[in-house]
Amino acid sequence: MSHRAFMHSLLATAAMHAYIVGKASYYDIVHHKSLAVQEININLSDPVSRINDGNIAAVFSLLCVEESMLLPLMAQEGDGRDVASRQRLVHVSGLKRMIELRGGLTALDMNQCLRALIIWHVALHSVASFLPPYLPLPEFDPASDHAQEQPRRSSVRATESQMLKFCFDLGIDQSLASLLDDLSVLAAQLAHWLDDPQAPFEPLDLQTRGNMIQVRLLTKYTEAKSTSIPSPMENTLCLAALVFTVLVFQSRSTPAAQAVHQTALGQLLDSIQLTQPSEWAKMPNLLLWVLVIGTIGARESSRLPWFLNRLLFFCFDHQLEGVDRILKRIRPLLWVDQQLSGVFAELWNNAHAHVKDVLDKVDDR
């Protein structure tokens, strides 16, 4: 590997993982971090090398290392936690400046992997903290890949029209309606690829676009909340879509998934309660989708009973029995069968079993 700064940043990453499993010392991590910083500083004196892919990748890798050093396991070494926290801020500032000088993340288009990893990191931090991204993301173009245009037109026409129709009927802000439409296209493409790995979609591109939409949804929600008269319906749809993207595009163990439990679900619950029944009257399937997404997102959280109770009452009022009938209604909206249907079926069946047990005990009395 010819780029010494990037090489030592990777060795620091490897040493950190080896340390966790008892195969390296804490000194090994610090040693390679120090060498990486030295090489980065040498490159910064060269107008060409200072913002090339290798130097940006080295700073980004060190940023990830310092964040890992904040884990409780790593912070046992002296004042390591304070040092890692300060170093993290230094690397964030350096990365922002380097990418700014480079011309933004779009300028990394020749290194798609590095660009994608940074976008994922930005999105993860933004959703986990519910704060604006620390780096501006590239403009989103759902039809940028010409190879994807034909599947886009043929497989998601019904999905687009259904979501857009609901948004039109509700008088939803045009920018939010467009964002939800972009998400419905992406969800259909992801479902297509999961069904057929030979489909003309790049997994890296699908994941990157999913992360970018998460940030756009969070930005839209933050802007909507700051208006003089926020719309509970728009906030509900924005938050439900955000939960959907985290469920589909993030691992359950990531900070973003944990933030869904701590922040998004609570605000989604509040937004649903502020909507009026009359708003949902002509489009009950949209409310059903919101409640199902909330239920899946709330699994393993204290808010699960609230979403399940609302969902059970909804299904009772609309004479909906069984997972298949529920899924039939919400699939034309935003849905990815391969990642959500099994989880929902388990939650629904467990809830029904619990209700049956309660009713049986009442009958026994």
Side-chain angles (χ1 to χ4, degrees):
M1 184 177 293
S2 59
H3 201 284
R4 294 177 60 84
F6 185 44
M7 177 189 70
H8 283 295
S9 72
L10 290 181
L11 289 173
T13 303
M16 180 191 64
H17 286 286
Y19 172 79
I20 292 174
V21 298
K23 299 294 184 180
S25 69
Y26 190 84
Y27 170 77
D28 293 327
I29 308 173
V30 176
H31 173 68
H32 286 294
K33 281 189 349 180
S34 176
L35 291 176
V37 170
Q38 289 179 28
E39 295 295 337
I40 289 170
N41 289 334
I42 292 172
N43 292 334
L44 290 176
S45 63
D46 185 323
V48 177
S49 301
R50 63 178 180 171
I51 55 172
N52 64 14
D53 287 358
N55 225 33
I56 290 175
V59 173
F60 176 65
S61 296
L62 287 181
L63 169 58
C64 296
V65 168
E66 296 299 351
E67 289 178 338
S68 299
M69 299 290 282
L70 292 172
L71 294 171
L73 173 65
M74 307 300 296
Q76 294 174 4
E77 301 284 341
D79 61 350
R81 187 176 184 85
D82 291 336
V83 172
S85 183
R86 291 195 297 270
Q87 288 298 317
R88 177 192 174 277
L89 294 177
V90 170
H91 295 320
V92 169
S93 178
L95 182 65
K96 289 168 64 176
R97 182 59 178 156
M98 293 169 77
I99 290 179
E100 179 185 347
L101 291 172
R102 182 69 178 266
L105 285 170
T106 306
L108 299 179
D109 58 348
M110 296 303 292
N111 193 330
Q112 292 292 324
C113 186
L114 175 61
R115 177 174 174 268
L117 289 173
I118 295 175
I119 289 174
W120 298 356
H121 188 270
V122 171
L124 185 65
H125 272 264
S126 185
V127 176
S129 63
F130 253 60
L131 293 172
Y134 68 81
L135 276 174
L137 297 185
E139 290 296 319
F140 179 84
D141 181 5
S144 60
D145 189 341
H146 296 296
Q148 296 179 5
E149 187 65 20
Q150 184 59 40
R152 178 185 191 276
R153 293 183 183 279
S154 63
S155 64
V156 300
R157 185 182 301 275
T159 303
E160 288 178 305
S161 62
Q162 181 99 350
M163 180 58 73
L164 287 176
K165 180 180 183 301
F166 282 154
C167 290
F168 177 78
D169 291 345
L170 287 167
I172 295 297
D173 175 76
Q174 184 176 353
S175 61
L176 176 57
S178 176
L179 182 50
L180 294 174
D181 184 38
D182 289 346
L183 180 54
S184 69
V185 172
L186 180 60
Q189 292 177 342
L190 176 62
H192 187 174
W193 179 78
L194 289 171
D195 267 341
D196 178 14
Q198 301 303 315
F201 305 113
E202 287 292 335
L204 189 71
D205 177 64
L206 294 174
Q207 180 70 38
T208 301
R209 290 161 56 205
N211 280 270
M212 290 169 67
I213 285 183
Q214 287 176 22
V215 175
R216 291 174 66 203
L217 285 166
L218 179 57
T219 301
K220 181 65 183 174
Y221 174 67
T222 303
E223 292 172 351
K225 279 188 64 180
S226 64
T227 60
S228 57
I229 308 178
S231 165
M233 177 61 75
E234 291 186 2
N235 288 346
T236 295
L237 294 181
C238 200
L239 286 166
L242 178 60
V243 173
F244 170 83
T245 61
V246 173
L247 291 173
V248 171
F249 292 102
Q250 298 283 2
S251 165
R252 289 172 60 181
S253 61
T254 64
Q258 295 165 14
V260 165
H261 289 169
Q262 297 169 5
T263 307
L265 284 170
Q267 297 187 30
L268 175 59
L269 188 155
D270 293 339
S271 293
I272 294 172
Q273 291 179 314
L274 291 173
T275 60
Q276 300 299 317
S278 58
E279 295 180 277
W280 303 106
K282 293 183 178 180
M283 49 200 70
N285 288 352
L286 188 58
L287 175 58
L288 176 61
W289 172 77
V290 169
L291 293 175
V292 169
I293 291 299
T295 298
I296 299 174
R299 70 194 189 279
E300 301 176 3
S301 87
S302 60
R303 295 185 174 91
L304 178 59
W306 188 91
F307 282 100
L308 268 177
N309 287 338
R310 284 294 298 265
L311 181 58
L312 288 168
F313 278 116
F314 177 96
C315 292
F316 178 79
D317 289 341
H318 292 80
Q319 299 181 337
L320 276 177
E321 296 182 5
V323 172
D324 291 340
R325 292 188 62 189
I326 296 173
L327 293 180
K328 183 177 180 180
R329 288 200 177 196
I330 62 177
R331 277 194 182 105
L333 295 168
L334 291 172
W335 198 254
V336 179
D337 263 321
Q338 302 90 330
Q339 292 180 291
L340 300 177
S341 294
V343 177
F344 174 64
E346 181 179 355
L347 288 168
W348 179 259
N349 292 332
N350 289 342
H352 261 272
H354 176 70
V355 171
K356 184 177 182 301
D357 288 342
V358 172
L359 294 176
D360 288 343
K361 290 178 182 178
V362 171
D363 290 340
D364 291 341
R365 291 178 184 174

